[in-house]
Amino acid sequence: MRVLWFTNSSVDYQEHITGYNGGGWMTSLKNVLDKEKDIELGISFLLEDTEFKKKINGTTYYPVSHQSGILDKVISKLKYGNNLNKRFRNSDEQYVKKFVDVINDFKPSVIHIWGTEKNFGLICEHTKIPVIIHLQGIINPYLNAFFPPNISLKDFIIKDGLNPFSISKNRKEYNGWKYIADREKKIFRNCKYFMGRTDWDRILTEIYSKDATYFHCEEALRDEFYTALKWKPQKSNKAKIVTTISGPLYKGGDLLLKVANLLKKELDLDFEWEVYGIDNLQVQEKLIGINTSDVNLVLKGMGTSEQIRLALQTANVFVHPSYIDNSPNSVCEAQICGVPVVACNVGGMSTLIKNNVTGVVVPANDPYTMAYSIKEICTKDAIAEKISTEAVKAANKRHNRDEIVMNLISIYKILYDSQNS
């Protein structure tokens, strides 16, 4: 069976071309799928490259250029002016033509699209080959939670100051999100098959694609976290908290500041909080009036999987502050390592965490309960050990790569048979 992936990342392509080893959970899954002799895999992704396709070790890669030339940009600007929606639609149309070229060249039995965030899902209208979309982050509910409490659209637009260029850039970013959200609804309407792993993404499928068929399929994790030494309670007078987040405001950087402030000034916890994935919280500091340096937050920037693994093994607790999420791999990685997790009960989090059993979930925008829960875990070994043990059991079962691949192949076969019956 020939299976074509459309992915938001280049998986292991750049490792083969440049030697850069980005790793990643998709590479982990691909490595297991490569052992299946009945599957021939093609992978297409957005990446500036002169090659239309390149076959490496049995996998055919299709990098699709994601940059327009200067002339194309000028023509688009002249043709559509400031109408961003028309410019975005024109761009999508050009991409779809390239995606169709990839499909015609690879001739897949099944097309597997990873996520609704990009424009890959638009191909559902342009092919009769079975297409299934694996749900990742879902834009419409993300847009609903785009602004943290007490932060408005105006705050977002002027978050970088009153520079006209920055204001225009931020406004365009927000309008771009709205366009992508509308495009996502169209993708949901036109696709017959979806797969996911949480009650939340199943519910959203039923809302936006009422006649679609939904399959449950878990995700693999990065290799390092399967072999990591399991966590034990840390014997130190100073608690260590670890978080991995990205830059958008809805990821909860402001909540980190509020919680850290409570831990230090009200709960008298001696701690250091390592935050990976970002190197500043300047916007959040400005908006809520709490400085990173005053509340023991250490912003580590991007961390390798090995750095994060080591940080987890020496942590007391992992904290996920996001205001919206489906099933963040950072939480799953912490669980499989045995690190107790405290997270906001949003999106798919209640599928990942059984409260007070495999972790702790707290209401979104509740720094008080989050701070209290962190201190409980950091100061009471019995609670931490119980959560750790149950989290490892749940995560090992959930992220068993062999079972994931078996399930994935069975789904591919169902789709293929539906087309050829």
Side-chain angles (χ1 to χ4, degrees):
M1 185 185 305
R2 297 169 66 81
V3 178
L4 177 60
W5 284 3
F6 283 95
T7 66
N8 294 338
S9 75
S10 60
V11 192
D12 59 349
Y13 177 72
Q14 292 188 81
E15 180 181 351
H16 293 302
I17 302 302
T18 67
Y20 168 71
N21 182 9
W25 65 271
M26 292 204 68
T27 300
S28 177
L29 177 62
K30 175 187 174 293
N31 289 340
V32 182
L33 193 60
D34 282 343
K35 298 174 185 176
E36 301 295 325
K37 302 305 181 185
D38 294 335
I39 300 292
E40 183 175 347
L41 191 61
I43 305 177
S44 186
F45 42 86
L46 303 183
L47 182 73
E48 192 69 19
D49 199 308
T50 57
E51 300 278 355
F52 171 66
K53 70 175 179 179
K54 186 181 287 286
K55 191 162 186 175
I56 306 171
N57 297 335
T59 298
T60 307
Y61 298 88
Y62 293 91
V64 176
S65 173
H66 66 292
Q67 293 183 0
S68 300
I70 294 176
L71 181 59
D72 292 332
K73 291 180 180 178
V74 170
I75 292 173
S76 179
K77 179 70 173 177
L78 290 173
K79 188 174 181 179
Y80 300 114
N82 292 322
N83 191 322
L84 290 179
N85 282 358
K86 288 186 177 180
R87 288 163 65 182
F88 290 147
R89 281 196 295 272
N90 177 63
S91 177
D92 283 341
E93 289 169 2
Q94 300 307 310
Y95 278 126
V96 167
K97 291 177 183 177
K98 296 179 181 180
F99 302 154
V100 169
D101 287 342
V102 170
I103 293 168
N104 290 337
D105 186 79
F106 188 71
K107 298 179 175 59
S109 311
V110 172
I111 298 170
H112 184 169
I113 295 173
W114 294 87
T116 53
E117 305 96 322
K118 303 290 186 182
N119 50 13
F120 300 127
L122 295 174
I123 64 173
C124 293
E125 296 179 88
H126 300 271
T127 182
K128 294 182 179 179
I129 297 167
V131 178
I132 189 165
I133 297 178
H134 185 109
L135 295 169
Q136 299 184 144
I138 304 176
I139 296 299
N140 278 275
Y142 278 50
L143 186 61
N144 179 63
F146 197 79
F147 304 118
N150 302 316
I151 295 176
S152 66
L153 173 59
K154 178 183 176 182
D155 294 324
F156 176 77
I157 289 173
I158 63 172
K159 65 186 177 72
D160 301 311
L162 297 178
N163 181 294
F165 176 80
S166 297
I167 290 173
S168 175
K169 176 178 70 69
N170 294 336
R171 190 185 298 276
K172 183 178 179 181
E173 178 184 347
Y174 183 69
N175 288 336
W177 271 80
K178 291 199 295 183
Y179 172 81
I180 293 169
D182 286 338
R183 183 180 69 195
E184 182 182 67
K185 291 179 183 178
K186 181 179 180 182
I187 289 170
F188 267 106
R189 287 195 301 268
N190 289 302
C191 186
K192 292 174 59 178
Y193 303 105
F194 294 87
M195 72 171 79
R197 59 245 177 250
T198 66
D199 289 337
W200 183 72
D201 62 31
R202 176 186 56 78
I203 289 168
L204 287 164
T205 300
E206 293 187 15
I207 290 173
Y208 286 117
S209 189
K210 298 176 180 60
D211 297 324
T213 300
Y214 177 91
F215 298 90
H216 184 96
C217 189
E218 299 290 356
E219 289 183 346
L221 300 177
R222 293 182 285 184
D223 290 340
E224 293 88 342
F225 296 92
Y226 287 96
T227 57
L229 293 173
K230 297 312 176 196
W231 175 90
K232 294 180 180 179
Q234 303 301 301
K235 305 300 182 183
S236 173
N237 292 329
K238 177 175 285 192
K240 179 178 175 180
I241 307 167
V242 172
T243 288
T244 302
I245 58 171
S246 55
L249 294 178
Y250 61 78
K251 287 295 184 179
D254 63 307
L255 189 58
L256 293 185
L257 292 168
K258 294 173 185 176
V259 172
N261 191 55
L262 285 169
L263 287 171
K264 183 173 183 179
K265 296 184 178 178
E266 304 297 339
L267 294 176
D268 299 319
L269 182 68
D270 187 12
F271 70 96
E272 182 174 87
W273 195 330
E274 293 184 358
V275 182
Y276 290 86
I278 55 174
D279 56 16
N280 78 81
L281 287 170
Q282 294 174 358
V283 172
Q284 292 89 337
E285 289 175 334
K286 177 182 175 183
L287 290 171
I288 67 174
I290 299 174
N291 293 322
T292 300
S293 57
D294 294 335
V295 291
N296 301 6
L297 287 178
V298 181
L299 307 183
K300 308 288 283 187
M302 294 301 296
T304 65
S305 56
E306 181 66 10
Q307 287 172 325
I308 294 171
R309 181 184 68 81
L310 291 172
L312 288 173
Q313 290 178 334
T314 56
N316 294 85
V317 62
F318 181 87
V319 175
H320 192 69
S322 185
Y323 290 107
I324 191 66
D325 243 318
N326 190 0
S327 64
N329 282 347
S330 59
V331 168
C332 299
E333 289 168 350
Q335 286 184 309
I336 206 167
C337 289
V339 184
V341 175
V342 177
C344 290
N345 190 7
V346 297
M349 207 63 65
S350 60
T351 298
L352 297 183
I353 298 173
K354 185 176 180 181
N355 193 33
N356 293 319
V357 179
T358 59
V360 176
V361 287
V362 302
N365 190 36
D366 186 353
Y368 307 96
T369 305
M370 179 170 274
Y372 179 84
S373 300
I374 291 169
K375 184 173 181 181
E376 283 275 287
I377 290 173
C378 289
T379 58
K380 295 182 179 179
D381 287 354
I383 293 176
E385 289 187 68
K386 178 184 175 183
I387 289 174
S388 174
T389 299
E390 294 302 319
V392 171
K393 289 179 186 176
N396 277 329
K397 181 178 180 181
R398 186 171 64 225
H399 301 290
N400 183 303
R401 286 180 288 191
D402 290 333
E403 291 187 7
I404 291 168
V405 167
M406 287 176 58
N407 187 24
L408 189 58
I409 292 173
S410 71
I411 293 170
Y412 290 159
K413 288 180 177 177
I414 290 171
L415 266 62
Y416 177 74
D417 290 344
S418 72
Q419 183 73 5
N420 294 277
S421 58

